[in-house]
Amino acid sequence: MNAVERSKVTVGVLALQGAFSAHEHALRRVGVSTRQVRLPRDLNGVDGLAMPGGESTTMSQLLESSGLFGEISRRIESGMHVLGTCAGVILLARTILDGRADQKSFGALPITVRRNAYGRQIDSFETNLDVAGLSEPFTAVFIRAPIIESLDGDVEVLASHDSQPVVVAHGNVVGVTFHPELTDDSRLHGLFVNRIINSLETNRR
Ligand code: GLN
């Protein structure tokens, strides 16, 4: 088997709006190179893409105006790994509830998400979660997070909170409804990078 060196892996971070620099730091802590993605050409040579939290309606507009929407869609379809967190998972969902009428999504994760679903009382909170593949609990920071209301296809649930899935995976797509980039714990980014490396190693065989 050819081992892929982490430092040779480049993960793009969608840098149109939102918490993108925290994702870059988290990814660098797990040993990969990062690149800010603002234009279609920034995607050349990236092995994966992280879509940060922020405001999914604004990101949807900026994805269109930058020309990134179509290019990212094509790449996800041809197997590019994506990690969407909070607004990012909304952008990846097949069905969005309480979205804006003109809000677009990549439809790459067969789930239904409801935006801002925790309501005003607890629109931000922190909790410790058991995540499949991690031996110790992960402190999850939820900020005006979406709720995954249904799984509409073959979706792996890696973590749940109050019996609702909060970390899910479907092929090359990982969705996290909270903000794993906002603590010093990079283990979820580590799991994402392992998925990228497994694919690169499989493709080399
Ligand atoms: N409520 C935001 C949205 O709908 C997501 C919040 C977040 O990313 N922290 O896009």
Side-chain angles (χ1 to χ4, degrees):
M1 191 172 87
N2 296 312
V4 171
E5 279 175 54
R6 277 180 176 235
S7 59
K8 301 264 164 67
V9 172
T10 302
V11 180
V13 178
L14 186 66
L16 298 173
Q17 193 262 341
F20 55 85
S21 40
H23 269 293
E24 287 188 283
H25 292 135
L27 287 161
R28 291 203 200 119
R29 281 198 298 268
V30 300
V32 297
S33 305
T34 60
R35 182 186 311 151
Q36 295 189 355
V37 172
R38 294 198 170 82
L39 291 170
R41 64 163 184 260
D42 301 329
L43 289 164
N44 291 333
V46 304
D47 302 298
L49 180 69
M51 295 188 189
E55 185 48 56
S56 59
T57 52
T58 311
M59 275 194 243
S60 162
Q61 286 169 343
L62 295 171
L63 280 162
E64 278 292 333
S65 58
S66 60
L68 273 169
F69 193 90
E71 189 56 34
I72 292 176
S73 246
R74 273 190 289 282
R75 285 176 190 252
I76 296 176
E77 243 169 70
S78 24
M80 179 177 73
H81 283 266
V82 240
L83 167 69
T85 66
C86 202
V89 81
I90 299 171
L91 289 172
L92 289 166
R94 191 180 284 168
T95 310
I96 303 172
L97 303 176
D98 293 341
R100 257 179 42 174
D102 60 350
Q103 175 164 10
K104 286 185 73 173
S105 83
F106 294 105
L109 253 181
I111 58 172
T112 298
V113 289
R114 186 178 296 279
R115 291 179 61 225
N116 304 327
Y118 289 97
R120 287 217 183 124
Q121 305 296 318
I122 48 157
D123 66 3
S124 298
F125 62 98
E126 244 180 67
T127 188
N128 290 330
L129 297 174
D130 290 323
V131 179
L134 302 183
S135 53
E136 302 289 329
F138 191 94
T139 301
V141 181
F142 290 77
I143 305 170
R144 301 185 70 231
I147 284 183
I148 299 177
E149 293 210 344
S150 63
L151 305 175
D152 310 324
D154 179 19
V155 176
E156 227 182 309
V157 177
L158 305 181
S160 296
H161 171 64
D162 279 350
S163 15
Q164 269 143 344
V166 292
V167 181
V168 292
H170 172 75
N172 49 326
V173 184
V174 178
V176 179
T177 62
F178 52 90
H179 284 264
E181 76 285 10
L182 293 185
T183 60
D184 289 338
D185 188 343
S186 314
R187 288 176 298 159
L188 270 177
H189 290 81
L191 289 182
F192 175 60
V193 166
N194 288 343
R195 292 171 83 96
I196 297 177
I197 289 177
N198 284 341
S199 291
L200 291 171
E201 286 177 347
T202 307
N203 293 341
R204 277 195 188 182
R205 264 183 223 138

